[in-house]
Amino acid sequence: MNFRDPDLVLVKKFRGGKQTFYQVHSLSSEQVSLQDIEHGGQFSFQRKQLEDHLTKGTLTATTKSKVPQTLFVKPVTKKAKPRKNIQQAKEQAEVDRRYRYVRQLLDSNVPSLSEQRLTPWIAPKAVELEDDAPPSYKTLGRWVKSFTESGWKMESLRPAHSKKGYHKSRLAPQVSDLLDQVVLEHGKAAINVNVRRAYLDFIERLDELNQQRNKIGLPELTACSYQTILTRFRG
């Protein structure tokens, strides 16, 4: 396979008829870096591993002329990219990290987003991705939900604290974890989520948690606003 061919496009098919198209972004004698032409995410493979994927049909080869040009939202280019500030670069790196987890999970045979299914999947995947801070099963479930409900838009994986009107970093870790749990459970229970009911459930659970904290002399935790949980459901 001539990975230097500028017209080469590799195609990955997912369950449900979804397809993703990649172009070679960079390569060396041993590694090939592919870029998702629609979303911009990048993935590195050993050259032999990539050739095996092509031999087995996990990936198929085509040309740019056979791919709808409207998909080339973020085409591979050799032009210099505009500089990003440090915070923007960190946010984009986090989006790329989440994207790798989500896309590889969607391509796996994991049948559900339960703790029993996700926890044993995350550990070896974190090693493979060289990620020393892997997400919990709840967090990964929330990423998958946001990504699929957005129509597979990479922007849905942007950290919520970078979005206007919502700053996750201001929440106490216990409150944020409880909020994640409520959002995940209510999101899985119904297609059309009753956000008001979910918020009341969150408040009740937080009250119970605060009662337990009071018994051992810990200060009470402050609830987030209704707007915060609404923003969380919107991804």
Side-chain angles (χ1 to χ4, degrees), residues 25 75-82:
H25 180 267
V76 173
T77 176
K78 298 297 182 181
K79 296 180 180 179
K81 297 181 180 179

Side-chain angles (χ1 to χ4, degrees), residues 85-149:
N85 62 38
I86 295 177
Q87 184 59 34
Q88 287 177 320
K90 287 182 178 180
E91 289 180 2
Q92 188 58 49
E94 175 62 13
V95 171
D96 291 341
R97 184 179 77 95
R98 296 180 180 191
Y99 179 70
R100 291 186 180 94
Y101 276 106
V102 170
R103 289 306 298 266
Q104 293 195 36
L105 178 61
L106 291 173
D107 192 34
S108 70
N109 294 320
V110 177
S112 72
L113 301 181
S114 66
E115 179 179 9
Q116 292 78 9
R117 299 291 186 179
L118 288 186
T119 298
W121 183 89
I122 291 172
K125 185 58 62 177
V127 174
E128 178 184 327
L129 298 178
E130 299 182 349
D131 181 16
D132 58 2
S136 67
Y137 82 93
K138 295 177 183 177
T139 298
L140 180 54
R142 178 163 54 83
W143 293 349
V144 171
K145 180 176 182 294
S146 295
F147 185 69
T148 55
E149 289 185 352

Side-chain angles (χ1 to χ4, degrees), residues 1 36 38 53 77 144 149 164 173 183 205-206 223 230-231:
M1 176 66 64
D36 183 331
E38 185 176 5
H53 286 329
T77 176
V144 171
E149 289 185 352
K164 183 178 179 180
V183 169
R205 297 191 195 191
L206 184 62
L230 180 61
T231 302

Side-chain angles (χ1 to χ4, degrees), residues 166 168 170-183 199 202-203 206 209-210 213 220-225 228 232:
Y166 173 59
K168 183 178 178 180
R170 295 178 182 175
L171 296 178
Q174 300 92 330
V175 176
S176 183
D177 288 344
L178 181 59
L179 189 58
D180 282 342
Q181 181 179 349
V182 171
V183 169
Y199 186 66
F202 165 73
I203 294 298
L206 184 62
L209 178 58
N210 279 331
R213 291 173 65 86
E220 292 189 357
L221 298 168
T222 302
C224 66
S225 66
T228 297
R232 188 72 68 91

Side-chain angles (χ1 to χ4, degrees), residues 9-12 14 18-26 33-45 59 67 70-77 81 92 96 99-100 103-104 147 151-154 157:
V9 173
L10 301 180
V11 185
K12 169 68 176 178
F14 293 85
K18 288 283 186 178
Q19 295 185 89
T20 300
F21 301 88
Y22 303 96
Q23 280 185 284
V24 175
H25 180 267
S26 63
S33 175
L34 300 182
Q35 177 173 307
D36 183 331
I37 64 174
E38 185 176 5
H39 301 99
Q42 294 180 15
F43 304 86
S44 293
F45 296 87
L59 290 172
V67 178
T70 54
L71 292 181
F72 287 81
V73 176
K74 296 184 178 181
V76 173
T77 176
K81 297 181 180 179
Q92 188 58 49
D96 291 341
Y99 179 70
R100 291 186 180 94
R103 289 306 298 266
Q104 293 195 36
F147 185 69
W152 289 40
K153 294 180 180 178
M154 201 168 177
L157 299 175

